[in-house]
Amino acid sequence: MLTAALSALADWPVAQALTQGRWSYAAVSALHVLGIALLVGGILPLDLRLLGLWRSVEMRPLAAVLTPMAAAGLLLAVVTGVLLFSVRPLEYAQVPVLWGKLALIALGATGALAFRLRVGRDPDRAGRRLRALAGIGSIVAWLGALACGRLIAFTGS
């Protein structure tokens, strides 16, 4: 059943257009990199602040700016990631590092959502230990997903 779904994805007209157009694939790839940059560029400073860096910077306004930027980056990276995956889904599905990347993305997104549900829009409501746990977990998840994403190019067929 998974093979049939992956084959159907490869036959999707958008996937076909990406495989046949050099510039369309390059544009989607560039947008994927932009999404990753927005995500990591937004979340990493916030994680470091959760860990206690830049104590003179108030956390709530920082989170108010960086959280939506990171969320927009995640959305862009996921959409473009699916498009890139659709070009060679049967091959990519055989790459274990991809599954690690997806697990880390799920961990990072779930952790961010759980933290947000717990403290709302004010990260200062969390105790120091919870902030540290959220910050470390997020750094591990997102930098791990980033590393796995790069490794796909070197471990795939």
Side-chain angles (χ1 to χ4, degrees):
M1 184 151 103
L2 179 61
T3 302
L6 293 174
S7 294
L9 183 60
D11 293 336
W12 183 37
V14 174
Q16 292 298 311
L18 288 172
T19 59
Q20 296 168 4
R22 175 195 297 178
W23 298 113
S24 58
Y25 185 87
V28 171
S29 183
L31 288 172
H32 190 64
V33 171
L34 175 61
I36 294 165
L38 290 171
L39 168 62
V40 175
I43 205 65
L44 190 58
L46 186 56
D47 291 337
L48 293 174
R49 179 61 186 90
L50 287 171
L51 291 172
L53 272 69
W54 309 301
R55 291 181 196 267
S56 63
V57 177
E58 289 186 49
M59 202 168 329
R60 188 172 181 167
L62 186 66
V65 171
L66 295 179
T67 300
M69 184 172 75
L74 177 60
L75 179 62
L76 181 59
V78 167
V79 169
T80 55
V82 169
L83 293 173
L84 295 171
F85 178 81
S86 74
V87 172
R88 294 182 15 213
L90 292 165
E91 293 88 359
Y92 285 136
Q94 300 301 314
V95 179
V97 175
L98 172 70
W99 295 103
K101 175 183 176 178
L102 296 176
L104 287 165
I105 291 168
L107 178 66
T110 302
L113 182 60
F115 186 76
R116 181 66 176 248
L117 291 173
R118 176 89 186 253
V119 302
R121 294 179 183 258
D122 187 3
D124 283 320
R125 287 183 46 203
R128 195 175 80 182
R129 292 178 76 187
L130 179 58
R131 286 194 310 264
L133 179 63
I136 290 168
S138 177
I139 289 170
V140 168
W142 296 119
L143 293 184
L146 180 65
C148 287
R150 283 306 306 139
L151 286 174
I152 291 170
F154 302 103
T155 60
S157 52

